[in-house]
Amino acid sequence: MRHIISPTDLTLTELDELLNLAEDIIKSPKKYSDACHRKKLATLFYEPSTRTRLSFEAAMLNLGGSILGFSSGDASSASKGESVADTIRVISSYADICAIRHPKEGAPYVASLHSSIPVINAGDGGHNHPTQTFTDLLTIKNLKGRFDNLTVGFCGDLKFGRTVHSLIGALSRYNNIKFVLISPEELQVPSYIKDQVLDPQNIPYEEVKSLESAMPDLDILYMTRVQKERFFNEEDYIRLKDTYILNSRKMSLAKEDMLVLHPLPRVNEIAVEVDDDPRAVYFKQAQFGVYVRMALIILLLREGEGRPIC
Ligand code: CP
């Protein structure tokens, strides 16, 4: 039984297989239109989502499979006090694979311990979001053509932004990667990312406050929204939410081939005027999310049938 709780649960070879399969799906979608016939995907979403849930569901439907699930904890028996462990035991007899999003860090991992079907973490609190990372990697592979020799800037809420934590972990496995971590002091990357990921692998990084001064060096700028739902105090959120707003003037400081990624949803951190810049690829990125999730569903179900990912 293979679960995906962290983006590094796939080896680099397996990740290559995933991304290559996703690119083949982009080229020849019809070839895969029946790949999951009679298979069911359960989406267990205890926290709001547009892209992750709907792209998982679109992915399974594109593969000829079926979907079931809930889009909020309130619409499930969690509202009556049912544990994640009991829920997944039951869902294991209703579906072949499941994607779970939960506000508590570690909840998908707990689910995986009690599951007899593959569990995919679709975002757990401020911790990890592996399928967003696979989406980000497919975007970088397809549009940049490489993972090595990149200077990647992360800007905004680096404390609570689980997509940031996951992507740092995934990119740290490639050669000659440098990170520029752009945030106010209160929203810096958690120390466990520095202590357990960056420092042990000697990954060069700098923590800065100015987006403008970082712009000229970046190959990729990964913008994030300030995560309102993870703040304990509304005053702090209001004070910090508009710290960074990417606009056309700031884009003029960047390399001509820099890419702007954003996991979305966007609030104010990217001005709408930037959307027409060819370097702004965040809507294309959201589209890539369907293909990479199609590839992941295929590979995990195959592995469940005894055919290893590679
Ligand atoms: N990127 C992402 O996780 O978006 P949703 O919250 O809409 O799923």
Side-chain angles (χ1 to χ4, degrees):
M1 183 60 52
R2 192 71 184 271
H3 307 290
I4 300 295
I5 304 302
S6 147
T8 51
D9 286 345
L10 291 183
T11 64
L12 282 179
T13 317
E14 289 171 336
L15 190 53
D16 276 351
E17 183 73 20
L18 176 81
L19 300 178
N20 289 338
L21 177 57
E23 288 193 318
D24 197 54
I25 292 170
I26 294 171
K27 270 193 232 128
S28 317
K30 279 196 186 142
K31 213 163 98 186
Y32 299 91
S33 61
D34 223 15
C36 292
H37 181 59
R38 292 188 181 280
K39 298 290 183 187
K40 284 180 262 173
L41 165 77
T43 50
L44 314 183
F45 276 59
Y46 295 84
E47 208 184 46
S49 167
T50 296
R51 271 146 297 274
T52 310
R53 186 171 66 85
L54 297 182
S55 65
F56 259 117
E57 294 186 354
M60 193 49 151
L61 294 172
N62 290 345
L63 295 168
S66 313
I67 53 171
L68 64 160
F70 50 82
S71 59
S72 82
D74 290 344
S76 80
S77 286
S79 62
K80 301 173 203 162
E82 185 171 54
S83 68
V84 164
D86 283 0
T87 301
I88 195 67
R89 276 197 187 106
V90 173
I91 298 298
S92 291
S93 63
Y94 296 167
D96 301 286
I97 186 165
C98 106
I100 173 168
R101 169 171 287 191
H102 202 285
K104 280 199 188 142
E105 287 84 359
Y109 172 67
V110 171
S112 75
L113 299 177
H114 299 275
S115 179
S116 53
I117 58 173
V119 171
I120 304 170
N121 177 4
D124 61 327
H127 187 218
N128 260 322
H129 193 346
T131 62
Q132 179 63 49
T133 298
F134 300 150
T135 301
D136 302 338
L137 293 174
L138 179 61
T139 307
I140 295 169
K141 180 177 195 283
N142 198 275
L143 302 178
K144 200 80 188 163
R146 68 179 197 276
F147 295 124
D148 296 328
N149 307 313
L150 292 173
T151 299
V152 182
F154 289 93
C155 178
D157 185 349
L158 312 190
K159 177 178 180 183
F160 296 117
R162 58 192 173 199
T163 61
V164 171
H165 308 155
S166 284
L167 188 55
I168 288 177
L171 285 173
S172 294
R173 300 198 287 180
Y174 294 96
N175 295 320
N176 198 21
I177 288 282
K178 182 183 169 194
F179 296 122
V180 184
L181 306 173
I182 309 153
S183 75
E185 205 161 325
E186 295 96 322
L187 297 179
Q188 282 181 348
V189 159
S191 50
Y192 82 88
I193 300 276
K194 297 175 210 169
D195 297 343
Q196 294 173 23
V197 180
L198 298 173
D199 292 339
Q201 299 182 88
N202 292 317
I203 311 283
Y205 69 90
E206 50 180 330
E207 296 186 285
V208 302
K209 293 201 177 84
S210 165
L211 173 57
E212 282 93 330
S213 52
M215 285 298 267
D217 293 329
L218 303 179
D219 299 303
I220 290 169
L221 171 60
Y222 197 92
M223 291 296 294
T224 61
R225 87 187 153 90
V226 175
Q227 306 264 306
K228 182 180 184 183
E229 65 275 28
R230 316 239 181 263
F231 274 74
F232 293 113
N233 171 338
E234 176 137 16
E235 269 171 37
D236 286 345
Y237 169 71
I238 290 168
R239 180 169 54 81
L240 294 167
K241 70 184 174 68
D242 292 330
T243 310
Y244 301 104
I245 299 179
L246 182 65
N247 55 21
S248 298
R249 186 185 61 75
K250 288 175 194 152
M251 286 296 286
S252 72
L253 305 171
K255 291 180 184 174
E256 280 183 10
D257 63 349
M258 186 194 75
L259 297 180
V260 183
L261 275 67
H262 190 311
L264 303 176
R266 155 180 60 186
V267 187
N268 286 329
E269 60 281 356
I270 302 180
V272 173
E273 67 190 18
V274 176
D275 296 355
D276 293 331
D277 190 307
R279 296 169 291 182
V281 297
Y282 27 89
F283 290 113
K284 200 163 182 53
Q285 182 185 355
Q287 194 183 349
F288 281 132
V290 177
Y291 305 121
V292 90
R293 290 181 175 102
M294 287 172 74
L296 186 62
I297 291 168
I298 289 173
L299 293 180
L300 290 179
L301 287 177
R302 260 190 213 164
E303 173 134 347
E305 291 165 3
R307 287 186 287 162
I309 291 176
C310 51

